[in-house]
């Protein structure tokens, strides 16, 4: 799958809405494709007490629920801002899910980078 199609899936997944007083979802969406060619998507959840999570986490959770862990490509988009980079927590999460994800291609505004390039100093246990 080409990034242009994956980006379109992420854009189509955007669904900003209020969940409850002060809690929102869907202003950021992510789509990923696995080594098996399956696509998973997710949206962020923002809560006042910081218990929410990123769109990348939601997409990865859907992937893991389906029994997969190897991401080949991922993109996140924000309503009104276009492509957004995964935060440090999301980068580390992708690595922790499957160490081979260091080769995952991440689409950013300024090009395509591997997770290895975005996470040069990985955490080791």
């Amino acid at each position: 799958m080409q990034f242009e199609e994956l980006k379109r899936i992420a854009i189509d997944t955007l669904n900003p809405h209020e969940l409850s007083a002060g809690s929102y979802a869907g202003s950021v969406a992510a789509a990923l494709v696995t080594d098996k060619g399956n696509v998973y998507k997710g949206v962020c959840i923002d809560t006042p007490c910081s218990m929410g999570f990123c769109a990348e986490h939601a997409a990865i959770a859907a992937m893991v629920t389906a029994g997969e862990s190897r991401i080949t490509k991922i993109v996140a988009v924000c309503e009104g801002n276009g492509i957004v980079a995964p935060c440090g927590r999301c980068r580390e999460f992708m690595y922790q899910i499957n160490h081979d994800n260091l080769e995952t291609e991440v689409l950013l505004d300024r090009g395509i980078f591997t997770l290895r390039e975005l996470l040069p100093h990985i955490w080791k246990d």
Side-chain angles (χ1 to χ4, degrees), residues 25-112:
S27 62
V28 176
L32 64 84
V33 64
T34 68
D35 60 342
K36 295 179 181 174
N38 295 314
V39 174
Y40 298 95
K41 54 191 182 173
V43 298
C44 67
I45 297 176
D46 297 310
T47 63
C49 62
S50 302
M51 286 179 40
F53 50 83
C54 298
E56 296 92 334
H57 275 70
I60 291 166
M63 173 188 68
V64 170
T65 299
E68 296 190 67
S69 66
R70 177 62 178 96
I71 305 164
T72 59
K73 295 180 180 179
I74 190 166
V75 62
V77 296
C78 181
E79 180 189 40
N81 292 326
I83 296 171
V84 293
C87 70
R89 182 173 179 251
C90 288
R91 296 173 194 194
E92 185 64 37
F93 191 57
M94 285 187 272
Y95 169 69
Q96 293 296 326
I97 293 300
N98 184 323
H99 293 334
D100 290 336
N101 285 337
L102 284 175
E103 303 312 315
T104 298
E105 293 181 324
V106 182
L107 180 63
L108 301 179
D109 277 339
R110 59 190 179 277
I112 298 169

